[in-house]
Amino acid sequence: MTCLDGLAPLPLSDAMHHACRGGKGLRGFLVMESARLHGVDAARALWPAAAIEAMHAYSLVHDDLPAMDDDDLRRGLPTVHIKWDEATAILAGDALQALAFELVSDARCGEAEARAALSLGLARAAGARGMVLGQALDIAAEAAGTPLDLDAITRLQAGKTGALIEWAATAGAVMAGADTGPLGRYARDLGLAFQIADDILDVEGDEAKTGKRLQKDAAAGKATFVSLLGLDAAKRRARDLVTSACDALSSYGAGAETLRETARFVISRES
């Protein structure tokens, strides 16, 4: 990431680079594709696309910490606190979060009104109304030792996974001053399908392909869509959500076919 160039030669900069390596880049791709649908220049869209990937990377660094999920492998690489230490991981996550807002606020992203709307939306999606809320609900459920029911886990994942996906998918409409409704509906179904696919991979995936430890939720007794619905029903639910997500894009016609293919990819992926 060239946006990290010029940082002092400390472990912090290396840890930030490390956290951003690998991954599918789904959220950044959604920004770019939603921008294309609305005629927003790719040079402008790169800024919020990079911002959402930095925000996502921060969330993974903190999520992997011993106080959270205590993971030692991410994207096929040692997690940041394993490769360096917990303090470096916390600081790298903090810096990536700040970098996300720096990127989305850059003048090259577009007009001030659009940048303000993107920044406000990102704060809400990443904070106590979105991703952080989802993580807090997850930790509270684990501490209580009581598995969540289907409604509760759906709400949890709508924050933890879905909020950033929705921000990404609607960013192009926000930049163009267009209606975010269709892409918002698409993203909410996509985000839930993505999480169900993750739960399925945790049961029948290959660690070499996923790049992370599997079956940790089952070992910890945590509720997942698979544990609540069963494997076959979870797969059907994911397929139904993809169909619904694709239907939400009807107003875009053939122009949204790449987003439809993305939704289908989300539940067929192996990592």
Side-chain angles (χ1 to χ4, degrees):
M1 290 177 65
T2 56
C3 54
L4 300 184
D5 292 347
L7 290 178
L10 296 169
L12 174 64
S13 57
D14 289 339
M16 292 170 72
H17 276 286
H18 182 83
C20 293
R21 291 179 62 187
K24 292 172 284 296
L26 172 66
R27 292 154 187 81
F29 172 80
L30 289 172
V31 172
M32 298 301 295
E33 192 60 20
S34 68
R36 183 195 63 78
L37 271 181
H38 291 88
V40 176
D41 188 74
R44 285 179 58 201
L46 279 172
W47 295 89
I52 195 63
E53 288 298 326
M55 185 67 77
H56 179 52
Y58 130 72
S59 74
L60 298 181
V61 172
H62 282 193
D63 194 44
D64 289 336
L65 286 166
M68 298 284 213
D69 284 354
D70 194 15
D71 277 314
D72 61 356
L73 190 68
R74 172 72 67 177
R75 296 172 173 174
L77 299 169
T79 50
V80 174
H81 72 275
I82 293 294
K83 189 171 177 64
W84 285 276
D85 52 53
E86 290 181 39
T88 299
I90 292 168
L91 292 173
D94 290 346
L96 285 165
Q97 183 190 56
L99 177 62
F101 286 106
E102 179 183 344
L103 290 166
V104 83
S105 301
D106 193 285
R108 285 167 287 188
C109 184
E111 298 299 323
E113 185 176 355
R115 285 184 278 131
L118 288 170
S119 296
L120 177 60
L122 186 58
R124 288 175 173 167
R129 302 184 189 198
M131 181 181 67
V132 171
L133 172 62
Q135 182 69 9
L137 291 170
D138 197 8
I139 291 170
E142 189 169 1
T146 304
L148 298 173
D149 61 20
L150 188 59
D151 287 343
I153 200 169
T154 299
R155 179 181 176 230
L156 184 160
Q157 296 300 349
K160 188 174 180 180
T161 301
L164 291 190
I165 287 177
E166 184 172 352
W167 183 91
T170 57
V174 171
M175 296 176 80
D179 178 19
T180 62
L183 283 170
R185 292 190 293 275
Y186 164 84
R188 287 188 288 276
D189 288 337
L190 177 70
L192 193 53
F194 185 97
Q195 184 57 49
I196 294 173
D198 255 11
D199 288 352
I200 292 168
L201 281 172
D202 193 57
V203 172
E204 59 180 21
D206 181 345
E207 281 191 5
K209 293 179 179 179
T210 62
K212 60 183 180 181
R213 302 295 180 205
L214 299 179
Q215 300 183 11
K216 287 190 65 179
D217 287 344
K222 292 176 66 173
T224 68
F225 287 103
V226 172
S227 70
L228 292 170
L229 296 172
L231 187 58
D232 290 341
K235 290 179 178 180
R236 286 195 299 272
R237 177 63 175 148
R239 290 193 297 268
D240 289 346
L241 285 163
V242 166
T243 298
S244 179
C246 292
D247 289 346
L249 300 174
S250 60
S251 61
Y252 292 104
E257 189 55 32
T258 301
L259 287 177
R260 296 186 187 96
E261 291 175 4
T262 301
R264 291 188 282 267
F265 160 76
V266 156
I267 62 168
S268 64
R269 60 194 167 91
E270 296 184 332
S271 64

